[in-house]
Amino acid sequence: MNRLIAVSVLATGLVLPSFPLWGQESSAVPKDLEIVYGFGATHAEWGRTTFRLTADGVMTVEKTQGYGDRAKSESARYALTPDEVGQILRKIEEARFFKLKESYADNRIMDGYSSFLRIRMNGKIHMVSVVNRSVKRYDLVAEALEKLASAKIKAAGEKK
């Protein structure tokens, strides 16, 4: 049966589409993929969270609060499915992340919220920091990461 299909394909010149890895529409997950997203209060003692996602689909979530000898830190690792990694990659593409400016800030506000997003993929690295502002295209990627991390954290809590 397999030979019959192979012969039919060769005879007709039909080429079957190759399906990309990781549920992505455009291409496979870049081998050098690393996404680091950190966010929280501009004062470290009030707490910050950092997500690190690598090409193997491992997301590390680290929460820190305080500074110096009083700093507290907790970390956990979660496995993302190929489709979940693909969702993030599509958001990066949709947001045209590599075309964003490196910094967005509202300098009128002294305290508040800050975040950064550093993405390495396909031999390129781009980092964007946002302080006390909302940037729609940046938020597309940040919110997708937060949503996936929240779902993983919730699922892990339910398994306990």
Side-chain angles (χ1 to χ4, degrees), residues 112-158:
Y113 177 86
S114 66
S115 67
F116 73 91
L117 184 52
R118 185 181 74 226
I119 299 176
R120 179 181 67 197
M121 60 188 280
N122 299 322
K124 296 187 280 184
I125 297 175
H126 188 57
M127 183 165 143
V128 177
S129 66
V130 176
V131 180
N132 298 321
R133 288 223 17 218
S134 178
V135 179
K136 235 179 190 177
R137 288 174 34 213
Y138 175 94
D139 291 344
L140 280 174
V141 180
E143 289 171 2
L145 287 163
E146 288 181 39
K147 182 178 176 183
L148 280 172
S150 291
K152 293 297 180 178
I153 292 166
K154 182 180 178 186
E158 290 172 355

Side-chain angles (χ1 to χ4, degrees), residues 10-76:
L10 290 173
T12 61
L14 176 68
V15 178
L16 298 175
S18 61
F19 294 97
L21 294 172
W22 296 87
Q24 215 183 304
E25 291 156 11
S26 57
S27 64
V29 172
K31 292 182 189 319
D32 63 344
L33 179 69
E34 181 183 45
I35 300 170
V36 181
Y37 170 54
F39 60 93
T42 54
H43 294 284
E45 66 272 18
W46 294 349
R48 299 206 40 93
T49 301
T50 303
F51 302 150
R52 180 180 313 273
L53 174 62
T54 51
D56 59 3
V58 174
M59 178 183 275
T60 303
V61 178
E62 181 179 20
K63 295 183 179 203
T64 58
Q65 187 168 13
Y67 58 93
D69 294 340
R70 295 183 180 177
K72 296 177 187 173
S73 178
E74 60 182 62
S75 180

